[in-house]
Amino acid sequence: ATMGASKSKKHRKKQRIAKHVVESQTRKKQEDAEKQLLAASEGDGETSTSTTPDDANDESKKSTKNTKTKDPAEAASYLTLWNLDRNSESTTKNWKFNKNTQSWLLRHMYDFDKVSKSTFGTLVDYVCQGGDKTRLRIEEEAKRRARRYKEWEKKQQKEGDAEQDDEDVADETKDATSSSPDDEEWNQLDDHDKRKEYKRARKVLDSLKEQQ
């Protein structure tokens, strides 16, 4: 009888331990689930693997953000490869069109830190081989930047009659600069960099003219 009672106590003790372990595991699972939900709500975790139109839009937004921080060397390599394939007699082509890279290059083509002088030269050739809409857009942008510099230069040369000149320049540059979002940044450039941007704009315009 004593042995039977002992076994019964041990069995009950084992049941209590087992119950405690199960409860502990259940709490842990709940805590893990709560952590996952919290992480997902904060954007720290990606718990869904389904592909939906919303997911596609999110991926598109991510790729758009990535273009803002693209490595200039990667963009330069894109143009170098394009130039090599263009001048190669081989039927095997290694260059592949990348819309994001092209957009990044066109957006930063007047940024000396992001697009070097040599890369810019290849980029101009690239633009000249592009479609009509792209070339027209680039041409209009180059004209705007060239006009902006020439009007600024004119203003610098006519400091004698400052008040009258300011009114004249304001009228002349209204259409060229009033709608530009980068005027404030351009005004921060020193004279040398303003001149460098103008030279780039002139190179674009001259190269596009040769293609006509």
Side-chain angles (χ1 to χ4, degrees):
T2 304
M3 289 182 64
S6 177
K7 285 182 179 180
S8 178
K9 286 180 180 179
K10 287 181 179 179
H11 182 66
R12 286 197 298 273
K13 186 177 180 181
K14 190 174 182 181
Q15 280 185 326
R16 285 197 298 271
I17 293 173
K19 186 178 180 181
H20 174 72
V21 171
V22 170
E23 289 176 350
S24 176
Q25 291 176 343
T26 302
R27 282 197 301 272
K28 190 175 187 306
K29 287 180 180 179
Q30 289 176 341
E31 289 174 358
D32 289 343
E34 289 174 358
K35 286 179 181 178
Q36 288 182 356
L37 288 172
L38 181 62
S41 67
E42 293 177 349
D44 294 333
E46 295 182 4
T47 56
S48 173
T49 57
S50 63
T51 303
T52 65
D54 288 340
D55 291 335
N57 289 335
D58 289 342
E59 287 300 317
S60 177
K61 289 176 183 176
K62 288 178 184 176
S63 64
T64 302
K65 289 181 179 179
N66 289 339
T67 62
K68 296 180 181 179
T69 56
K70 183 179 287 294
D71 183 359
E74 180 186 338
S77 297
Y78 173 80
L79 288 177
T80 300
L81 199 58
W82 168 81
N83 198 37
L84 288 172
D85 274 6
R86 182 173 66 116
N87 296 317
S88 174
E89 296 180 358
S90 172
T91 56
T92 303
K93 301 298 181 182
N94 298 310
W95 176 83
K96 290 183 180 180
F97 173 73
N98 186 307
K99 186 175 182 179
N100 287 338
T101 301
Q102 174 179 288
S103 297
W104 186 93
L105 282 163
L106 297 181
R107 187 163 56 249
H108 297 291
M109 64 188 301
Y110 294 99
D111 188 326
F112 318 120
D113 294 327
K114 291 183 172 67
V115 178
S116 67
K117 185 176 180 180
S118 59
T119 299
F120 178 77
T122 308
L123 178 57
V124 172
D125 292 339
Y126 179 87
V127 168
C128 289
Q129 300 298 318
D132 292 340
K133 288 184 178 180
T134 299
R135 283 186 294 176
L136 181 61
R137 179 162 54 87
I138 296 302
E139 182 180 12
E140 290 302 314
E141 176 67 10
K143 285 180 178 178
R144 182 185 70 80
R145 291 176 182 271
R147 282 198 304 266
R148 179 170 64 181
Y149 176 80
K150 295 305 289 183
E151 296 301 340
W152 172 84
E153 187 179 50
K154 186 186 296 183
K155 182 179 177 180
Q156 297 300 107
Q157 292 172 350
K158 295 181 178 180
E159 290 181 349
D161 190 2
E163 184 176 353
Q164 183 60 42
D165 286 344
D166 285 344
E167 292 176 1
D168 292 343
V169 172
D171 290 339
E172 292 170 1
T173 61
K174 184 176 180 181
D175 293 336
T177 63
S178 61
S179 61
S180 172
D182 65 340
D183 279 340
E184 188 174 339
E185 291 183 15
W186 186 82
N187 287 328
Q188 299 300 319
L189 296 177
D190 59 30
D191 295 0
H192 178 66
D193 284 344
K194 284 185 174 73
R195 177 71 179 172
K196 281 172 65 178
E197 182 188 276
Y198 169 71
K199 285 184 176 180
R200 285 196 173 191
R202 285 306 321 169
K203 182 174 177 62
V204 170
L205 293 172
D206 292 342
S207 298
L208 288 172
K209 189 175 181 180
E210 290 175 3
Q211 293 294 316
Q212 294 176 355

